[in-house]
């Protein structure tokens, strides 16, 4: 058994090995977020098409419901993009740590990594992985024990809901070429020529789109 293997057995991974393992986890999570963003794009595109069809047929009520899901989907996609960028920032900070190890022989405390990790724990998609990594980094001396910011995350969700309500009219106006949602108010029902069977079919399609978006938002 080599001296390196003996040291690993006695003392665990070296600082360099720890950093490389964390960077690999970060890249894996970034790829997962990319996948979720693509899925949201696909689901949102289908929902937008259905929303325009609803507006054309004069189904204002269903159009408003679906428009709200589109808004929430866009907000979630923005959040995923920001989280992916933060994962990248942690990777850069870890690269700096790797350089410092060569000089000092040990990992250094980083308030930037701690701040980024605290923000990423709020995202359900990567919360478990970030908590695990944060505990490992705390043991390695890079960061202090994480703060519990669950309540703050809930507040953000409530704010997201409020913003969605405010933007529904804007989305309706943009997606329906001004037919619905102008000046923050939806006008009266548009003339409708569809019969009862067509309305039922449209309702089922709208509900299917809404559930599909909800599934992506809650995954």
């Amino acid at each position: 058994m080599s001296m390196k293997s003996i040291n690993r057995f006695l003392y665990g991974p070296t600082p360099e090995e720890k950093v490389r393992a964390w960077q690999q986890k970060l890249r894996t999570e970034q790829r997962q977020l990319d996948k979720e963003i693509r899925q949201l794009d696909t689901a949102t595109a289908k929902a937008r098409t259905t929303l325009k069809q609803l507006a054309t047929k004069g189904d204002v009520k269903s159009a408003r419901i679906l428009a709200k899901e589109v808004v929430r989907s866009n907000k979630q996609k923005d959040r995923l993009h920001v989280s992916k960028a933060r994962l990248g920032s942690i990777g850069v900070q870890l690269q700096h740590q790797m350089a410092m190890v060569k000089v000092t022989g040990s990992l250094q405390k980083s308030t930037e990594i701690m701040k980024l990790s605290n923000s990423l724990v709020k995202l359900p998609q990567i919360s478990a992985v970030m908590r695990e990594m944060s505990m490992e980094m705390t043991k390695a001396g890079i960061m202090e024990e994480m703060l519990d910011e669950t309540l703050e995350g809930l507040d953000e969700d409530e704010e997201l809901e409020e913003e969605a309500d405010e933007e529904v009219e804007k989305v309706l106006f943009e997606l329906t070429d001004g037919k619905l949602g102008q000046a923050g108010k939806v006008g009266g029902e548009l003339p409708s020529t569809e019969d009862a069977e067509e309305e039922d079919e449209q309702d089922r399609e709208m509900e299917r789109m809404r559930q599909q978006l909800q599934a992506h938002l809650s995954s």
Side-chain angles (χ1 to χ4, degrees), residues 19 22-23 26 90-98 113:
V19 169
W22 292 329
Q23 288 177 324
L26 291 172
I90 292 179
V92 171
Q93 292 295 321
L94 287 175
Q95 197 62 38
H96 293 163
Q97 288 279 344
M98 188 82 83
I113 289 179

Side-chain angles (χ1 to χ4, degrees), residues 114-151:
M114 182 174 179
K115 181 173 67 175
L116 290 166
S117 297
N118 277 339
S119 66
L120 287 168
V121 164
K122 302 174 192 175
L123 191 69
Q125 289 87 341
I126 59 176
S127 178
V129 172
M130 289 310 303
R131 285 189 181 278
E132 180 184 358
M133 282 185 58
S134 296
M135 286 189 290
E136 293 173 356
M137 290 181 185
T138 299
K139 291 179 181 179
I142 290 181
M143 52 188 284
E144 297 175 354
E145 189 172 350
M146 291 189 65
L147 301 175
D148 187 357
E149 299 190 2
T150 304
L151 292 179

Side-chain angles (χ1 to χ4, degrees), residues 7-165:
N7 286 336
R8 184 181 293 108
F9 177 76
L10 293 175
Y11 305 110
T14 65
E16 292 91 340
E17 290 171 338
K18 290 178 181 178
V19 169
R20 281 193 288 270
W22 292 329
Q23 288 177 324
Q24 179 60 42
K25 287 183 180 179
L26 291 172
R27 287 191 291 269
T28 298
E29 294 309 306
Q30 283 181 309
R31 288 193 294 270
Q32 181 60 34
L33 291 185
D34 275 334
K35 180 180 178 181
E36 295 207 21
I37 289 170
R38 289 194 297 270
Q39 290 174 339
L40 272 176
D41 281 337
T42 300
T44 302
K46 292 179 180 178
R48 285 174 182 269
T49 299
T50 302
L51 195 155
K52 287 186 177 182
Q53 293 172 350
L54 290 168
T56 300
K57 295 177 182 297
D59 191 348
V60 177
K61 181 179 179 181
S62 296
R64 283 176 59 84
I65 293 173
L66 196 55
K68 188 170 183 177
E69 298 303 328
V70 170
V71 170
R72 288 179 60 83
S73 176
N74 288 336
K75 293 287 185 181
Q76 175 70 351
K77 188 168 63 174
D78 289 344
R79 194 174 185 180
L80 293 177
H81 276 298
V82 170
S83 297
K84 180 187 173 185
R86 286 172 175 168
L87 288 172
S89 295
I90 292 179
V92 171
Q93 292 295 321
L94 287 175
Q95 197 62 38
H96 293 163
Q97 288 279 344
M98 188 82 83
M100 289 299 297
V101 167
K102 295 179 180 179
V103 177
T104 65
S106 62
L107 297 168
Q108 306 298 306
K109 191 177 297 296
S110 171
T111 55
E112 183 66 18
I113 289 179
M114 182 174 179
K115 181 173 67 175
L116 290 166
S117 297
N118 277 339
S119 66
L120 287 168
V121 164
K122 302 174 192 175
L123 191 69
Q125 289 87 341
I126 59 176
S127 178
V129 172
M130 289 310 303
R131 285 189 181 278
E132 180 184 358
M133 282 185 58
S134 296
M135 286 189 290
E136 293 173 356
M137 290 181 185
T138 299
K139 291 179 181 179
I142 290 181
M143 52 188 284
E144 297 175 354
E145 189 172 350
M146 291 189 65
L147 301 175
D148 187 357
E149 299 190 2
T150 304
L151 292 179
E152 183 177 340
L154 292 175
D155 290 340
E156 284 187 355
D157 288 340
E158 291 175 0
E159 291 175 4
L160 178 65
E161 187 71 22
E162 292 174 2
E163 290 177 14
D165 288 336

